[in-house]
């Protein structure tokens, strides 16, 4: 029996993520003193009895996050970490409910789309980067993705490439570029994430950027929607989260989908017939960074945790385990990782990066246009 996800919905609508109505003024840091982070080298008694709440994506990602960062942090500092597993849409909802007071988390993971909404809602603290001992080792291309209104907000953990994931037992000749997904031989076997899911908006951005187009150019956006319409009648699944993407590929409901390199390589490692193509015309960047919400009562401990999060020592096992490039440029990866994964400043500079300043306020409208094509 085919998965429910593979059935082409009639009249189906993907509810857009609620976006901020405008961009709030970015506030400067309100503290006049520096934060003693301890540089990740404190003794086991330094934070005894203190607790912080940190978010992590659910599943194997979260398990590896705990092993790579949380366990050594608790051992070295004596600070207990309460992990909240889930996804950034849910965390953003809780931050909004708190309204910048009595924050539900002390350190929170967000992808760029959620970041822009959080900053627009005045829910995050700008970073005091001078109080992060590894800040200068972090990739400047990645830190710029979390810089809004001249203020740095996020510590980049890992970045991936959105390209084409495909079934190697169904597609014998690997696709080479984005346009290959429109090949009629794949019609009926294409999975297409909606624009309200990061993977879908990243793919749409790749279509817009063809020929030098920008999301801020209505003509380029119209051209991308015209291109997208060529897939009408050819899409077999509309996965709106990572688990659904994996499911439709595993079940054979789809043979090809715009998705991330790390996820593809993890599936391949599990023995699944999965391959990944870095598009010849350029991949789209996908980034996870960590932030300090407004209203935390544990800023000092939060900065200490961010130092662990940003260190090459702790990022290396996490990056290699997830097959994503770490935010710290000084990591010496294993030969196997270097051979398989494209990473580093030179790679990130060539990425298409989603222009969320433009996309966020238009996302509802664009998703409605998407719905009209694939109704």
């Amino acid at each position: 029996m085919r998965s429910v996800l593979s059935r082409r919905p009639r009249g189906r609508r993907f509810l857009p993520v609620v976006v901020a109505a405008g961009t709030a003024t970015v506030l400067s840091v309100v503290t006049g003193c520096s934060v003693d982070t301890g540089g990740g080298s404190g003794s086991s008694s330094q934070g005894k009895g203190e607790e912080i709440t940190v978010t992590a994506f659910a599943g194997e990602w979260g398990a590896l996050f705990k092993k790579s960062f949380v366990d050594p942090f608790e051992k070295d500092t004596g600070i207990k970490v309460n992990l909240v597993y889930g996804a950034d849409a849910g965390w953003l909802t809780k931050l909004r409910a708190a309204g910048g007071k009595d924050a539900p988390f002390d350190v929170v993971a967000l992808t760029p789309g959620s970041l822009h909404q959080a900053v627009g809602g005045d829910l995050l603290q700008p970073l005091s980067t001078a109080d992060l001992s590894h800040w200068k080792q972090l990739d400047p291309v990645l830190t710029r993705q979390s810089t809004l209104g001249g203020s740095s907000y996020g510590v980049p953990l890992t970045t991936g490439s959105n390209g084409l994931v495909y079934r190697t037992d169904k597609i014998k000749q690997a696709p080479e570029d984005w346009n290959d997904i429109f090949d009629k031989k794949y019609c009926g076997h294409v999975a297409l994430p909606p624009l309200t899911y990061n993977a879908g908006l990243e793919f749409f951005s790749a279509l817009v950027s063809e020929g030098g187009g920008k999301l801020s150019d209505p003509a380029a956006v119209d051209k991308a929607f015209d291109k997208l319409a060529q897939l009408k009648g050819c899409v077999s699944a509309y996965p709106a989260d990572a688990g659904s993407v994996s499911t439709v590929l595993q079940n054979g409901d789809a043979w090809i989908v715009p998705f991330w390199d790390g996820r593809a390589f993890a599936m391949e490692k599990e023995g699944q017939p999965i391959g990944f193509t870095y598009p010849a015309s350029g991949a789209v960047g996908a980034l996870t960074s960590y932030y300090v919400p407004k209203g935390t009562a544990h800023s000092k401990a939060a900065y200490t945790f961010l130092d662990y999060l940003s260190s090459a020592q702790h990022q290396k096992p996490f990056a290699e385990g997830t097959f994503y490039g770490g935010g710290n440029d000084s990591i010496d990866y294993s030969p196997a990782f270097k051979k398989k994964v494209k990473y580093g400043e030179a790679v990130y500079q060539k990425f298409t990066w989603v222009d969320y300043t433009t996309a966020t306020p238009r996302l509802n409208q664009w998703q409605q246009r998407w719905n009209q094509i694939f109704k």
Side-chain angles (χ1 to χ4, degrees):
M1 179 180 293
R2 292 170 66 83
S3 163
V4 173
L5 287 167
S6 68
R7 298 172 188 160
R8 186 164 178 262
R10 294 184 179 276
R12 182 174 179 181
R13 294 293 185 270
F14 292 88
L15 296 177
V17 175
V18 177
V19 297
T23 302
T25 301
V26 179
L27 301 182
S28 60
V29 181
V30 295
T31 178
C33 58
S34 63
V35 178
D36 179 10
T37 66
S41 60
S43 68
S44 61
S45 62
Q46 98 180 48
K48 189 174 182 180
E50 188 171 6
E51 298 184 8
I52 60 173
T53 300
V54 178
T55 69
F57 294 110
E60 293 184 8
W61 195 101
L64 185 57
F65 182 87
K66 183 178 185 301
K67 181 179 180 181
S68 301
F69 303 107
V70 175
D71 290 348
F73 174 81
E74 290 184 328
K75 180 181 179 182
D76 291 346
T77 68
I79 300 172
K80 177 177 173 54
V81 175
N82 299 308
L83 277 176
V84 175
Y85 295 106
D88 52 341
W91 303 328
L92 182 59
T93 297
K94 291 184 177 180
L95 288 175
R96 284 195 180 112
K101 300 177 181 179
D102 193 21
F105 321 111
D106 301 297
V107 185
V108 61
L110 297 174
T111 54
S114 296
L115 161 66
H116 281 251
Q117 296 176 56
V119 172
D122 198 20
L123 304 176
L124 302 177
Q125 296 181 15
L127 289 177
S128 175
T129 59
D131 295 312
L132 293 170
S133 63
H134 306 296
W135 181 259
K136 292 183 179 180
Q137 296 175 0
L138 299 179
D139 191 282
V141 177
L142 303 184
T143 57
R144 282 198 297 271
Q145 301 308 309
S146 298
T147 300
L148 300 178
S151 295
S152 297
Y153 284 87
V155 170
L157 175 59
T158 55
T159 189
S161 300
N162 189 320
L164 294 175
V165 180
Y166 62 96
R167 285 279 299 257
T168 56
D169 57 339
K170 303 293 185 181
I171 300 176
K172 300 303 182 182
Q173 183 174 351
E176 296 180 358
D177 210 343
W178 294 111
N179 276 329
D180 289 344
I181 201 172
F182 297 95
D183 196 312
K184 291 300 181 183
K185 64 186 176 184
Y186 303 139
C187 190
H189 306 289
V190 175
L192 185 66
L195 303 186
T196 48
Y197 179 39
N198 289 343
L201 183 57
E202 289 161 7
F203 173 58
F204 185 72
S205 295
L207 298 183
V208 172
S209 68
E210 287 184 335
K214 296 181 179 181
L215 286 175
S216 57
D217 179 5
V221 170
D222 290 343
K223 184 177 179 182
F225 272 113
D226 290 341
K227 182 75 173 179
L228 204 59
Q230 296 179 22
L231 289 176
K232 186 173 183 177
C234 292
V235 180
S236 60
Y238 301 87
D241 56 64
S244 298
V245 173
S246 297
T247 297
V248 299
L249 286 169
Q250 291 170 1
N251 292 347
D253 296 327
W255 297 354
I256 189 168
V257 58
F259 207 42
W260 301 307
D261 53 351
R263 292 278 186 170
F265 297 146
M267 294 174 71
E268 180 188 27
K269 184 179 179 181
E270 293 171 354
Q272 299 180 42
I274 297 296
F276 180 82
T277 291
Y278 288 98
S281 61
V284 182
L287 177 65
T288 295
S289 298
Y290 269 81
Y291 303 86
V292 179
K294 275 198 165 185
T296 175
H298 306 282
S299 290
K300 181 178 179 180
Y303 271 73
T304 305
F305 186 80
L306 288 179
D307 253 3
Y308 273 72
L309 194 77
S310 57
S311 72
Q313 174 188 354
H314 297 110
Q315 280 199 4
K316 179 178 179 177
F318 185 79
E320 292 185 341
T322 58
F323 297 98
Y324 290 127
N328 191 312
D329 277 342
S330 68
I331 300 172
D332 183 14
Y333 294 103
S334 68
F337 186 90
K338 292 177 181 178
K339 182 178 180 180
K340 196 169 197 66
V341 180
K342 292 186 178 182
Y343 65 92
E345 185 175 357
V347 173
Y348 307 148
Q349 286 177 339
K350 295 179 181 178
F351 274 167
T352 293
W353 289 99
V354 177
D355 175 9
Y356 282 98
T357 300
T358 296
T360 299
R362 294 171 174 79
L363 187 58
N364 291 359
Q365 175 190 353
W366 289 349
Q367 183 60 55
Q368 289 172 8
R369 292 182 66 176
W370 190 97
N371 292 340
Q372 289 300 312
I373 296 173
F374 301 106
K375 62 182 179 181

